[in-house]
Amino acid sequence: ILTFCYSYVYLQDRKKYLKVWAVSWGVYFTRFIFMLGFLLWQKNAFLLIGNQLASLISGTLLLYGSCLFTKKEFPKIFWGIMIAGIVWIFVSILGKFPFMLMSLPTFSFLAVIYIWTGLIFYRHSKTERKEASVIGFAFMVWGIHKADYPFLRPIAWFAPWGYLLGAALEFIVAIGLLILYFRQTKDELLEKETTLAENEQRLLKAQKIAKVGDWNWELESNALTWSDEIYRIFGRDPETFEVTVEVFESAIHPDDYQKFVLERETALK
């Protein structure tokens, strides 16, 4: 569901961070496929490797997309650590290392990624949007939960609660990122509308000062609209005077009319 939602939003807006987030959730989804295959089908080492790799890569992409969204520089060292983590996953699982030794480095790295991402949004909330503080807090708790996984996994009674907590944090983070994106998009649109309105007022003032106006002729409907300044130039009242193309042409001086017709036909062609 998350992969579909983020992919749909990306196709509508084409922002790079939306694409990175969509890929991240897609990779995270494959983690559960590998996990179910390992639990229900056969205890294959490569299914376990796939599960660990999906967690590692999706976490790194979440951080990368968040850096793009907040316009922060992505720490290049995380790419190197991710590659080292991938190598460690292959070596430790194929080498049949003990669970703690196999999982601790991977989940420690994931904890650092999520906590780092949380700090990015927490700092972002101080200068931009307060919703980011909730996302930042959820990311940091999710990171702590990743760090405690190798220690709490062997406790059978805690496992369902651990999965429940992890799933809740995932959805809080995912929905929160979408809400933050929609809020930012709304603010950008309002800012553009304000800028357009200000520019329109400047244009009207400039026309009044220069005593020039602008007009628009819709060819399909043959409708003509004048700016306020043109009404003033012609001494007409916008409330009572209906402007048409014929009215405009009738106001042209006879000595200029033929030249006007030639220019009009050239423009229409």
Side-chain angles (χ1 to χ4, degrees), residues 8-19 181:
Y8 175 79
V9 174
Y10 165 68
L11 291 174
Q12 299 302 310
D13 204 7
R14 300 288 180 175
K15 295 283 179 61
K16 186 177 180 180
Y17 59 81
L18 290 173
K19 178 170 68 173
Y181 157 72

Side-chain angles (χ1 to χ4, degrees), residues 21-202:
W21 280 341
V23 173
S24 173
W25 291 118
V27 173
Y28 198 81
F29 167 66
T30 64
R31 169 178 177 254
F32 293 101
I33 296 178
F34 288 122
M35 182 189 296
L36 287 173
F38 184 81
L39 294 174
L40 303 177
W41 181 41
Q42 60 176 333
K43 300 295 189 288
N44 187 298
F46 288 100
L47 290 175
L48 191 58
I49 289 173
N51 173 265
Q52 298 282 323
L53 289 180
S55 295
L56 195 65
I57 295 171
S58 66
T60 307
L61 289 176
L62 265 180
L63 173 58
Y64 179 50
S66 299
C67 287
L68 292 174
F69 177 81
T70 57
K71 296 180 174 59
K72 304 290 184 183
E73 186 175 355
F74 179 77
K76 299 297 191 299
I77 190 173
F78 279 108
W79 293 124
I81 297 175
M82 185 188 76
I83 294 171
I86 291 173
V87 173
W88 176 256
I89 288 170
F90 275 95
V91 171
S92 62
I93 294 178
L94 294 177
K96 297 181 179 180
F97 288 15
F99 172 77
M100 183 64 73
L101 185 60
M102 175 192 70
S103 62
L104 190 58
T106 301
F107 283 91
S108 296
F109 176 54
L110 283 171
V112 172
I113 285 179
Y114 288 131
I115 292 173
W116 194 290
T117 308
L119 289 172
I120 286 175
F121 281 109
Y122 183 74
R123 290 167 183 163
H124 185 67
S125 68
K126 293 183 178 180
T127 56
E128 293 290 336
R129 295 156 187 85
K130 298 302 180 184
E131 296 95 328
S133 61
V134 177
I135 300 173
F137 179 75
F139 260 116
M140 287 187 276
V141 175
W142 197 11
I144 294 170
H145 184 54
K146 289 290 182 183
D148 66 35
Y149 176 76
F151 302 98
L152 296 179
R153 180 183 176 276
I155 305 175
W157 67 266
F158 183 79
W161 300 103
Y163 281 115
L164 177 62
L165 176 61
L169 291 169
E170 290 162 19
F171 271 94
I172 290 172
V173 163
I175 302 302
L177 290 176
L178 284 176
I179 291 173
L180 197 61
Y181 157 72
F182 289 132
R183 172 67 182 274
Q184 178 170 289
T185 302
K186 178 184 175 183
D187 290 348
E188 289 175 353
L189 289 173
L190 289 174
E191 186 177 337
K192 287 179 181 178
E193 288 178 5
T194 302
T195 302
L196 286 172
E198 290 174 350
N199 289 340
E200 186 175 355
Q201 289 300 316
R202 290 193 188 99

